[in-house]
Amino acid sequence: KQEVTQIPAALSVPEGENLVLNCSFTDSAIYNLQWFRQDPGKGLTSLLLIQSSQREQTSGRLNASLDKSSGRSTLYIAASQPGDSATYLCAFFRVGTGGFKTIFGAGTRLFVKA
Amino acid sequence: ETGVTQSPTHLIKTRGQQVTLRCSSQSGHNTVSWYQQALGQGPQFIFQYYREEENGRGNFPPRFSGLQFPNYSSELNVNALELDDSALYLCASSAGLANYGYTFGSGTRLTVV
């Protein structure tokens, strides 16, 4: 069973739309959760970090929420722009058997049309 | 303040060979982790080092090994390369045990032929 699931896998929207990207995880004992964007063939750029004791974080047009009890996080993108086109990844950090570990979802590929 | 830098950016190796990838952590960061990302997939956690000691490992065989140096830079070594090892290898650093999140490098693209 996937430890982290991101829905939808891909999304194409016209410019200006508000978007919600979903991330669900099976382990509630997370240390923190981080959202990243990745442009094709590139490394990851951090967007937002939510500690396990927090409920949400905001940066500009981005807002991320965390509900540990239900195993869900959402990334809200307001007024989407073509420059937002990228793959968005969520990852959680936990301590378990084998020590510390970071678990990524497979990502949501977003395309914003001008 | 410099970010995370990885070298080389691209590499082609032959099956059975060994490879070493390098990572310089962001200034002030003492934790480094390594990931393998196959095309179209999310990064897979390989291992993490904190103050020169491995403190976490994913589901990768022992031929994947690493080091962290006193200046907190790091190496990923892969022995007996297989075709499936072809991927983007990402390094990330953090201050403490990811309390402040991870900063990623741009990655090394490894192709095994």
Side-chain angles (χ1 to χ4, degrees):
Chain A
K1 184 178 178 181
Q2 292 274 3
E3 291 194 74
V4 182
T5 303
Q6 291 192 245
I7 294 172
L11 187 60
S12 180
V13 299
E15 182 177 8
E17 277 206 5
N18 300 324
L19 311 170
V20 176
L21 307 182
N22 297 291
C23 172
S24 60
F25 47 92
T26 56
D27 187 347
S28 62
I30 66 171
Y31 195 82
N32 59 38
L33 186 142
Q34 196 166 0
W35 282 91
F36 299 88
R37 71 171 277 168
Q38 185 175 31
D39 294 290
K42 305 294 185 183
L44 278 63
T45 300
S46 177
L47 298 173
L48 290 164
L49 169 70
I50 310 176
Q51 302 291 349
S52 62
S53 58
Q54 297 175 324
R55 299 282 293 187
E56 68 177 326
Q57 285 287 332
T58 298
S59 177
R61 295 183 294 109
L62 305 179
N63 175 276
S65 66
L66 174 63
D67 184 342
K68 282 177 54 181
S69 61
S70 65
R72 294 178 188 275
S73 177
T74 61
L75 177 66
Y76 177 81
I77 304 176
S80 58
Q81 303 171 357
D84 294 332
S85 299
T87 295
Y88 289 80
L89 296 152
C90 69
F92 73 84
F93 180 75
R94 66 152 192 237
V95 181
T97 55
F100 292 88
K101 197 173 284 190
T102 304
I103 311 295
F104 275 88
T108 293
R109 293 185 304 281
L110 173 64
F111 179 64
V112 181
K113 298 171 286 188
Chain B
E1 179 181 281
T2 60
V4 177
T5 58
Q6 293 187 242
S7 62
T9 55
H10 296 84
L11 199 54
I12 300 175
K13 288 287 191 177
T14 303
R15 190 172 50 183
Q17 284 188 316
Q18 178 266 343
V19 69
T20 297
L21 310 182
R22 294 179 174 82
C23 172
S24 293
S25 300
Q26 181 168 316
S27 176
H29 287 188
N30 54 16
T31 301
V32 66
S33 53
W34 285 90
Y35 303 82
Q36 179 195 68
Q37 187 177 26
L39 207 58
Q41 298 183 22
Q44 298 295 310
F45 175 76
I46 302 175
F47 44 58
Q48 174 170 295
Y49 281 81
Y50 173 64
R51 294 184 174 179
E52 302 178 60
E53 291 198 6
E54 184 181 296
N55 69 349
R57 189 174 182 94
N59 298 323
F60 280 80
R63 60 189 184 85
F64 286 78
S65 63
L67 281 174
Q68 187 181 30
F69 300 101
N71 66 355
Y72 303 130
S73 65
S74 176
E75 286 182 354
L76 164 65
N77 299 290
V78 187
N79 294 321
L81 284 166
E82 301 176 359
L83 297 179
D84 285 348
D85 295 334
S86 295
L88 180 67
Y89 287 84
L90 296 163
C91 166
S93 70
S94 175
L97 295 170
N99 296 325
Y100 303 102
Y102 287 102
T103 300
F104 276 78
S106 298
T108 294
R109 172 72 62 186
L110 173 65
T111 302
V112 183
V113 298

